[in-house]
Amino acid sequence: MREVAVAGVGYTPFTRASGRPVLDLACDAALAACTDAGLDPALVDGVGTHSVGQDSEPAQAVATALASPGLRWVVDLAMAGQAPCHLVGLAADAIATGRAEAVLVFRALNGRSCAKVGSARFPGRGGPYRYPIGYGAYPMYIATWANRHLHETGQTTDDLGAVAVAHRRYAVLNDRAVVRTPLDLAGHRASPWVAEPFRVADCTREVDGACALLVTTLERARDLRRPPAVVAAAAYRAGPRPGLDLGAHVLTDDYTRNFTDLVRDELFRRAGVTPADVDVAELYDCFSSVVLMSLEGLGLCDRGAAGELVRSGALPVNTHGGLLGEGYLHGMNTVAEAVLQVQGRGGVRQSARHDVVVATSGALMDGSALVLTRDR
Amino acid sequence: MNTPAPPEPDHDSGPFWVALDEERIVLQRCAGCARLRFPPIGRCPWCREPRSTWTPVDGRGRVYSWTVVHHAFEPAFADDVPYVVATVDLDDGPRIALRCAGVPDFGTRVSPAFVRHDGWTELRVVPDA
């Protein structure tokens, strides 16, 4: 089995209205990732992506527009924020076993100017009982989990505020971030309610844009422009009854633990590290509560101690400002930030220690996670 | 005045909605493991048994969690905000998300209420006094 690394990342600007087709955004980010790595795009033989509803373009369309000479591997997941780490894991498996050499993984959408996933209606058997009664938007579902989680763990909306404030501090330092006005706890407390316990400051901002990663063998990555971000392990987990659609969680028993609780042991065991080894955590944060739940689920702190960990600043979390600050690229940008941190390219946001970075994708019943490590 | 889009009863859900029009609540009781299912679906998510029998339940239960919705994500609910959606564990087993009259607490006992809309009936809950 060959070792695998992420060799480069690419972004378009994140905007309120790109005015451009999603295919153009996808191609720009994909080419930017190739340029970042210093790899000829003609050598790409795999493309992986994901979409919600009809909000993106097929992987083959991107290969076409990039004048690909041919593909040996393609994956197009009908999956939301659970997908990015999972896609990197699937690409890594293909590369490790010799079924692909260089894979582009991307997410592209006009998520602000076109259909917004936050208020989208998901197809499936659960929706008909939610939409007619006004239980029809993603913030409401995660708010219901967050309310119970805060209650059982003895945390409060000020712990959500700690997440929002810490993320904003990084976002202020991030040129790519779409929300860069400074925020303190008083500002969080004054932020208008959306769906309790969430205020506006607890919610991600939907954006137009694209983000891509270039995944290849560690051997090849060592010859490219950037330090390799070694894929130490990736894992996906869903527990029993993960639901009939993205908003159908009434078949889940425990709203206070998400998929990170299930994925933790396998992820760290296969990566050959422990939670104590983690230097930086890049955690999917469509809403602030997910950061608390995922810190606890991954074992990066005790249950109920996540807000305190965030306040302490002892562990760098979401150094790009999170999806709360940088914008909602469905967490592909979360993984890209993990790559930048491992590579030591975080600039003013760079963590001093960056040997082991954990990233997650997903918020509730199911999701994926990734451990990236520095080379050698 | 906007009104919410009505449910679209289908093979699985038809009996549930028809019963609500008669101010009754029915759920599928699994022929394999005897659990009640919600949402109605074609197989039991605990034992994969397809067969079930529509069974009356009283709709009483306890609030597991809730959210107070302040932002109307659809115009149809603009006149309703703020409103509560509670996740209720029915005494008969299943968990269900329903509009709730008033802000509950964790574990608050609730009873069913039937709200008539144009062409369909919505199941809600009311906190017990």
Side-chain angles (χ1 to χ4, degrees):
Chain A
M1 297 279 276
R2 304 188 294 182
E3 289 190 85
V4 178
V6 183
V9 299
Y11 303 84
T12 66
F14 298 163
T15 66
R16 294 176 68 90
S18 71
R20 304 179 63 205
V22 172
L23 184 57
D24 288 0
L25 300 176
C27 289
D28 282 7
L31 286 176
C34 292
T35 301
D36 188 51
L39 183 100
D40 179 351
L43 296 177
V44 169
D45 62 354
V47 179
T49 190
H50 68 108
S51 58
V52 180
Q54 303 292 318
D55 70 0
S56 188
E57 293 280 351
Q60 294 92 332
V62 172
T64 300
L66 293 181
S68 161
L71 292 180
R72 297 174 60 216
W73 185 89
V74 67
V75 163
D76 217 327
L77 292 173
M79 211 183 209
Q82 313 103 307
C85 289
H86 189 41
L87 279 170
V88 172
L90 294 174
D93 290 347
I95 292 163
T97 54
R99 291 192 59 194
E101 294 297 320
V103 173
L104 278 168
V105 171
F106 76 89
R107 178 69 169 121
L109 71 168
N110 281 324
R112 179 88 183 197
S113 61
C114 296
K116 293 183 176 184
V117 73
S119 47
R121 292 192 165 201
F122 305 122
R125 309 300 288 171
Y129 308 93
R130 299 193 308 270
Y131 300 126
I133 70 166
Y135 191 48
Y138 214 71
M140 303 177 193
Y141 312 146
I142 303 204
T144 300
W145 282 56
N147 198 21
R148 183 77 195 188
H149 174 255
L150 293 178
H151 169 66
E152 282 197 23
T153 63
Q155 297 180 93
T156 70
T157 52
D158 276 355
D159 293 291
L160 301 179
V163 172
V165 168
H167 283 46
R168 188 70 62 85
R169 205 172 291 134
Y170 280 120
V172 168
L173 301 173
N174 179 3
D175 292 339
R176 257 191 308 278
V178 297
V179 186
R180 300 188 67 189
T181 49
L183 180 77
D184 59 14
L185 191 59
H188 177 265
R189 287 174 174 168
S191 177
W193 291 118
V194 176
E196 292 181 44
F198 294 150
R199 303 173 178 280
V200 170
D202 294 302
C203 303
T204 185
R205 301 303 159 85
E206 289 163 312
V207 294
D208 291 4
C211 179
L213 315 172
L214 183 78
V215 190
T216 187
T217 63
L218 175 58
E219 189 180 359
R220 184 192 293 267
R222 284 173 175 155
D223 293 334
L224 297 175
R225 280 179 66 207
R226 304 296 193 185
V230 180
V231 178
Y236 167 88
R237 284 296 290 272
R241 301 176 301 280
L244 302 173
D245 67 76
L246 277 174
H249 38 254
V250 290
L251 290 166
T252 300
D253 293 330
D254 185 354
Y255 287 11
T256 72
R257 292 175 176 85
N258 69 7
F259 74 96
T260 58
D261 211 75
L262 303 171
V263 88
R264 173 190 61 237
D265 291 346
E266 179 188 348
L267 177 75
F268 289 126
R269 176 174 50 76
R270 297 210 343 257
V273 300
T274 71
D277 296 320
V278 170
D279 296 320
V280 182
E282 308 291 0
L283 307 177
Y284 188 86
D285 62 316
C286 46
F287 302 91
S288 56
S289 65
V290 180
V291 174
L292 300 180
M293 205 177 281
S294 299
L295 285 169
E296 294 171 12
L298 288 174
L300 298 172
C301 64
D302 291 338
R303 181 167 162 87
E308 191 50 48
L309 174 64
V310 171
R311 262 188 299 277
S312 76
L315 177 71
V317 178
N318 287 342
T319 49
H320 53 328
L323 305 175
L324 296 182
E326 192 175 72
Y328 194 46
L329 251 287
H330 293 212
M332 192 63 75
N333 49 331
T334 304
V335 183
E337 178 69 13
V339 173
L340 291 175
Q341 287 288 327
V342 170
Q343 292 177 324
R345 299 167 62 199
V348 293
R349 299 176 282 109
Q350 178 64 43
S351 168
R353 295 177 58 225
H354 53 102
D355 291 334
V356 178
V357 179
V358 65
T360 62
S361 301
L364 300 181
M365 296 87 76
D366 72 325
S368 56
L370 190 60
V371 172
L372 299 175
T373 57
R374 284 171 86 179
D375 192 17
R376 305 188 219 263
Chain B
M1 177 64 190
N2 294 298
T3 54
E8 295 168 12
D10 63 13
H11 178 272
D12 287 338
S13 68
F16 175 80
W17 294 114
V18 168
L20 290 189
D21 281 339
E22 301 163 359
E23 303 202 350
R24 295 185 303 117
I25 307 165
V26 297
L27 297 177
Q28 295 161 299
R29 184 174 298 284
C30 178
C33 68
R35 282 187 180 84
L36 289 164
R37 296 177 202 162
F38 186 84
I41 49 173
R43 275 186 192 276
C44 174
W46 284 271
C47 76
R48 74 185 70 83
E49 164 65 45
R51 292 170 303 149
S52 67
T53 306
W54 289 98
T55 306
V57 299
D58 68 8
R60 294 176 178 276
R62 286 184 186 279
V63 172
Y64 174 74
S65 192
W66 75 94
T67 180
V68 184
V69 178
H70 291 262
H71 176 78
F73 289 84
E74 286 190 60
F77 301 100
D79 293 339
D80 292 2
V81 290
Y83 62 88
V84 175
V85 181
T87 296
V88 175
D89 288 334
L90 297 178
D91 294 342
D92 289 306
R95 180 170 287 177
I96 184 168
L98 300 166
R99 288 274 292 272
C100 178
V103 181
D105 200 347
F106 298 98
T108 293
R109 297 280 319 167
V110 292
S111 297
F114 300 89
V115 176
R116 298 281 181 186
H117 297 284
D118 187 16
W120 66 288
T121 303
E122 178 184 350
L123 177 61
R124 294 188 182 183
V125 287
V126 179
D128 290 352

